[in-house]
Amino acid sequence: MNIVSIIQQGVVQGAAHLYQLEISAEDIPLSTTRKEFEGDYTLVVFPFTKHVKKSPEAIAQELGAYLVEQVQSIKAFNVIKGFLNLVVDDAYWQAFLQDIYHNPQFGTQAPNGRKVMVEYCSPNTNKPLHLGHIRNILLGWSVSKIYEAAGYDVVRVQIINDRGIAICKSMLAWQKYGEGATPESSGIKSDHFVGDYYVLFEKKFQEEYKAWQQSPEAVALFEEKKKAEQSAEEYFKTFKDQYFNLYSTLGKEARELLLAWEANDPATIELWKKMNGWVYAGFDSTFDKLGVRFDKLYYESNTYLLGRETVDQGLNSGVFYRLEDGSVWIDLEDAKLDKKLVLRKDGTSVYITQDIGTAQVRYRDFGAEKMIYVVADEQNYHFQVLFEIMKRLGEPYAGGLYHLSYGMVDLPSGKMKSREGTVVDADDLIDEVVNEAWENSKERGTLADLSPEAQQEVIRKIGVAALKFFIVKVHPKKRMIFDPKESVDLQGQTGPYVQNAIVRCNSMLNKAGNPDLSAASDYHTLETAEKDIIAQLYQFPEIIKQAAEGYDPSMVAMYSYELAKAFHRFWHDYRILQAETEAAKAFRIQLSMAVRNVLRMGLDLLGIETPERM
């Protein structure tokens, strides 16, 4: 039984013995004692005053004395007003460390037979992965790892947006201006190559639009439509989309390409497959750099027709209704979500229709009771609508749908715009962080004795760790600014700082060799710092559980940072291999092994590797 349960049972028995009060263990909340007070766990006794006609201080004194006398694992207590602070006996922490120090999987739960699906990344094939995708990918991967550690069978998927007008823009630009160039002939990474043509289309379109604004047709249109005191510049700034659809030559050619794709024109399909193939190869390279993978890929070109049959069924059951113009809607006003279109009047799907069908297909594919969608907070309303529709359709998994909504990522220089080519590509950002790690390493000179290849591998692990940790340490719902230089600081709240604690453990354990640790059982009186570290280790399984329940990898990141900080401090303040006694030496080696294992596991849940040297 864990110490929390032991204390709770003791309180149950104490309440019955002292006050003839029947309570359940679940009704006894315990928290870790604040650092400025002595103790390990704190019980708030104010609720007892409803049933016991005594002051909170008196109740706390009586319960504390009972627990020290009757519960072997409680050594002492103190009372601060109505707060009972309990001190756990050193022997309990000693026994706990003996149980876990040699277990590299400590903290993980046994399989629970439940399945969860995590969707993340889900890029468009008209441009390479960028900084926003990195946050999405790292959140999705970390959540999937945390759920695995919590005992779930996890399926990782993404849906690739491989069709539509944006993809046709890249295709058209390559047709018109590419002159047969390929990623190989140009020496450009293949997804970047395609993305460059998306940017080129926008550039050519802007040139066309600017020239058109001087035409008699545009001048006449402005004079007819302008509002009072509105300049031509202001008017045409908001008219761009209408221009694309109604007047633009490039817009017409892009729409014709889309219609040819929808008609399954062989030449168009061949071009589409070729350019998407380039993009997929580039994506795979970036996924390898980030160390992530997927169990199944879904493609919008295969899913965009899904959901129509379900809408027909929903019409028959009254979930949806049809207007006179033929469009189909659902009324969600009673759920404060307005009315939502699910089929256009021409019978074509909208995104929500596709998502209905895709969820159903995934359930048939995997039978996951929980589906987690990692998508930016711009889509909050969309997922509220989707989940409400699935409930009304009576889908068996509807209660397990969850939108992991996250805030956008900015750089110190500001926001990004993909059509203008100002997006920070994922590959460029990874390279920049790795370069920052190189510069830091050169200043310290700690890797000079390694071969260039070995140095490169160490720096890669440090740089990628810096990127990942900096991203996931922020609560998903918060908007954030990513600073590459700050992310690699060995003294900051960073991935390399945590890695360095593991490297220190490894270095010390390598020097220790294979010592006999049996003397650790003779180490009976723990230093405060030692007990604090063991208490932190003790929390790790609960941290994993809470991070899974809260869909929040930042809990694991910050726990790992705090544990690393405690160990760094311990490393400076206490001797380990030259400890004052053999018992202290053996105990501290065990403690270091446990810290190393938990930090490794914590970083692994964030997708972070640790080098042997730094």
Side-chain angles (χ1 to χ4, degrees), residues 129 189 191-192 285-286 289 425-432:
L129 302 172
K189 186 169 178 283
D191 54 334
H192 292 232
S285 174
T286 305
K289 287 182 182 179
D425 291 325
D427 300 292
D428 296 338
L429 185 61
I430 294 169
D431 291 343
E432 182 177 353

Side-chain angles (χ1 to χ4, degrees), residues 376-396:
D377 56 13
E378 298 168 314
Q379 297 296 320
N380 285 351
Y381 176 77
H382 174 85
F383 283 101
Q384 290 172 359
V385 170
L386 174 64
F387 298 167
E388 183 64 26
I389 290 175
M390 302 313 278
K391 288 179 184 177
R392 299 191 184 199
L393 289 171
E395 294 296 321

Side-chain angles (χ1 to χ4, degrees), residues 114-118 144 147-148 152-156 295:
R114 303 173 67 183
K115 182 172 286 187
V116 60
M117 185 210 76
V118 185
S144 73
Y147 263 89
E148 280 185 333
Y152 288 79
D153 178 11
V154 177
V155 180
R156 301 170 176 89
D295 299 305

Side-chain angles (χ1 to χ4, degrees), residues 90-200:
D90 287 358
Y92 182 89
W93 297 126
Q94 168 73 284
F96 166 71
L97 182 64
Q98 293 293 315
D99 284 342
I100 64 107
Y101 79 88
H102 49 70
N103 179 11
Q105 298 301 312
F106 169 70
T108 60
Q109 304 300 307
N112 58 25
R114 303 173 67 183
K115 182 172 286 187
V116 60
M117 185 210 76
V118 185
E119 177 202 286
Y120 56 99
C121 191
S122 300
N124 302 319
T125 57
N126 60 305
K127 52 193 174 186
L129 302 172
H130 55 65
L131 175 56
H133 287 118
I134 285 184
R135 189 174 198 192
N136 184 307
I137 291 167
L138 298 183
L139 284 174
W141 180 253
S142 295
V143 165
S144 73
K145 296 278 287 183
I146 290 166
Y147 263 89
E148 280 185 333
Y152 288 79
D153 178 11
V154 177
V155 180
R156 301 170 176 89
V157 304
Q158 67 169 325
I159 183 162
I160 297 175
N161 301 307
D162 63 339
R163 59 173 290 275
I165 193 67
I167 282 81
C168 290
K169 289 178 180 179
S170 296
M171 292 164 58
L172 180 64
W174 185 81
Q175 279 185 321
K176 294 177 72 71
Y177 314 114
E179 299 180 348
T182 66
E184 292 78 15
S185 68
S186 63
I188 300 174
K189 186 169 178 283
S190 54
D191 54 334
H192 292 232
F193 177 83
V194 173
D196 288 346
Y197 283 97
Y198 180 64
V199 174
L200 179 60

Side-chain angles (χ1 to χ4, degrees), residues 288-302:
D288 285 343
K289 287 182 182 179
L290 292 173
V292 302
R293 60 178 175 79
F294 301 90
D295 299 305
K296 186 173 177 64
L297 307 181
Y298 292 87
Y299 298 90
E300 191 180 332
S301 55
N302 295 327

Side-chain angles (χ1 to χ4, degrees), residues 63 117 198 214 236 243 267 336 351 408 458 464 499 508 523 532 540 573 579 581 605:
L63 271 176
M117 185 210 76
Y198 180 64
Q214 309 305 316
F236 287 121
Y243 169 75
K336 299 180 181 179
Y351 274 112
M408 302 303 286
V458 169
V464 174
Q499 285 178 315
M508 182 271 295
Y523 190 69
D532 288 346
F540 189 47
D573 294 346
T581 67
L605 295 181

Side-chain angles (χ1 to χ4, degrees), residues 343-379:
L343 277 183
R344 299 185 184 93
K345 61 184 179 181
D346 61 1
T348 57
S349 300
V350 292
Y351 274 112
I352 203 79
T353 323
Q354 300 173 39
D355 284 347
I356 291 169
T358 302
Q360 292 171 323
V361 167
R362 286 171 171 171
Y363 185 68
R364 290 197 293 269
D365 287 347
F366 298 109
E369 65 182 76
K370 182 185 287 289
M371 298 188 194
I372 302 169
Y373 296 78
V374 184
V375 183
D377 56 13
E378 298 168 314
Q379 297 296 320

Side-chain angles (χ1 to χ4, degrees), residues 205 208 243-253 255:
F205 170 73
E208 180 195 85
Y243 169 75
F244 178 85
N245 291 317
L246 299 175
Y247 301 97
S248 169
T249 300
L250 286 172
K252 179 182 178 182
E253 290 176 325
R255 291 194 304 277

